[in-house]
């Protein structure tokens, strides 16, 4: 077998090994999921703003902003509270369940998000 024929198989092996290692970081840990109503989300800029803000919270593992349902799903560890999530979304300029948006942050949002 020629040396160049080994590379594709080796690359596939390394790829699957890397995926297995990355999945094991959350495997076995119990993630909690909070669903937050965000009636003001309208576009991909809203999605990006909220996602970026929430991902800054240590313990937030995944953020999914559903523009059609106007909801945000946040997968996180036990150390993250629902109130923390609501406050971060509010501080980003968006209403989050019962927590009203920060007006100053709202005014700084792109025009498409208002």
């Amino acid at each position: 077998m020629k040396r160049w024929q080994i590379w594709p198989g080796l690359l596939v092996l390394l790829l699957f090994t890397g995926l297995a290692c990355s999945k094991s970081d959350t495997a076995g840990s119990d993630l909690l999921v909070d669903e937050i109503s965000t009636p003001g989300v309208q576009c991909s800029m809203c999605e990006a703003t909220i996602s970026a803000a929430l991902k800054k919270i240590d313990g937030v593992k995944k953020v999914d902003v559903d523009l059609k349902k106007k909801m945000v799903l946040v997968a996180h560890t036990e150390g993250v509270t629902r109130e923390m999530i609501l406050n971060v979304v509010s501080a980003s300029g968006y209403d989050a369940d019962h927590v009203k948006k920060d007006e100053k942050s709202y005014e700084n949002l792109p025009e498409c998000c208002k």
Side-chain angles (χ1 to χ4, degrees):
M1 184 180 289
K2 294 181 182 178
R3 180 178 276 171
W4 62 269
Q5 290 175 322
I6 296 173
W7 282 106
L10 183 60
L11 290 174
V12 170
L13 178 63
L14 289 173
L15 175 67
F16 283 114
T17 303
L19 290 175
C21 289
S22 66
K23 287 184 179 179
S24 67
D25 291 344
T26 57
S29 66
D30 293 326
L31 290 180
L32 305 172
V33 177
D34 276 300
E35 186 175 88
I36 309 295
S37 171
T38 51
V41 298
Q42 306 181 81
C43 65
S44 61
M45 289 296 294
C46 298
E47 180 179 3
T49 300
I50 291 171
S51 292
L54 288 171
K55 288 178 180 176
K56 289 180 183 176
I57 300 174
D58 189 35
V60 168
K61 301 298 181 186
K62 185 170 192 302
V63 176
D64 181 32
V65 180
D66 188 326
L67 297 174
K68 288 182 183 179
K69 293 182 181 178
K70 300 196 179 283
M71 302 291 287
V72 177
L73 291 174
V74 183
H76 58 86
T77 59
E78 275 187 41
V80 178
T81 66
R82 185 175 182 83
E83 281 306 305
M84 289 169 68
I85 295 168
L86 294 174
N87 289 333
V88 167
V89 173
S90 170
S92 299
Y94 299 90
D95 291 336
D97 285 348
H98 65 279
V99 180
K100 295 296 179 191
K101 66 184 170 254
D102 176 76
E103 289 296 330
K104 192 170 186 172
S105 296
Y106 174 78
E107 290 303 320
N108 291 323
L109 291 175
E111 215 39 56
C112 59
C113 297
K114 298 178 184 179

